[in-house]
Amino acid sequence: MKLENNVLEIEGMSCDHCKARVEKALSELNGVSNVEVSLEDATATIQFDASKVSLAQLADAVSEAGYEVV
């Protein structure tokens, strides 16, 4: 298992509820081991197993939560 780190820039987060929603959406994906969302930087730093989850799946989870990956 090779863990990768990636930072996604996210548009539309404006409060702690938004931050928690993005964290929850990403954390629920199989293969994601750690998520840190920064409201100030509008980013999500994700540690994940690339053999189990793709960048596209990460972006889709953010979109499904109601936010946009830029």
Side-chain angles (χ1 to χ4, degrees):
M1 175 173 77
K2 181 180 177 239
L3 292 179
E4 292 188 19
N5 288 304
N6 200 291
V7 178
L8 300 178
E9 291 184 40
I10 301 172
E11 276 188 359
M13 296 188 301
S14 59
C15 63
D16 285 338
H17 175 74
C18 299
K19 176 183 171 184
R21 193 167 163 160
V22 170
E23 284 176 347
K24 183 177 188 290
L26 290 167
S27 295
E28 289 179 345
L29 292 174
N30 184 32
V32 173
S33 57
N34 190 44
V35 177
E36 292 179 21
V37 176
S38 169
L39 198 54
E40 297 77 24
D41 298 333
T43 60
T45 303
I46 308 141
Q47 185 177 49
F48 62 100
D49 181 347
S51 69
K52 293 183 179 177
V53 65
S54 69
L55 287 175
Q57 289 171 301
L58 297 172
D60 286 347
V62 172
S63 295
E64 288 173 18
Y67 307 94
E68 185 178 348
V69 175
V70 292

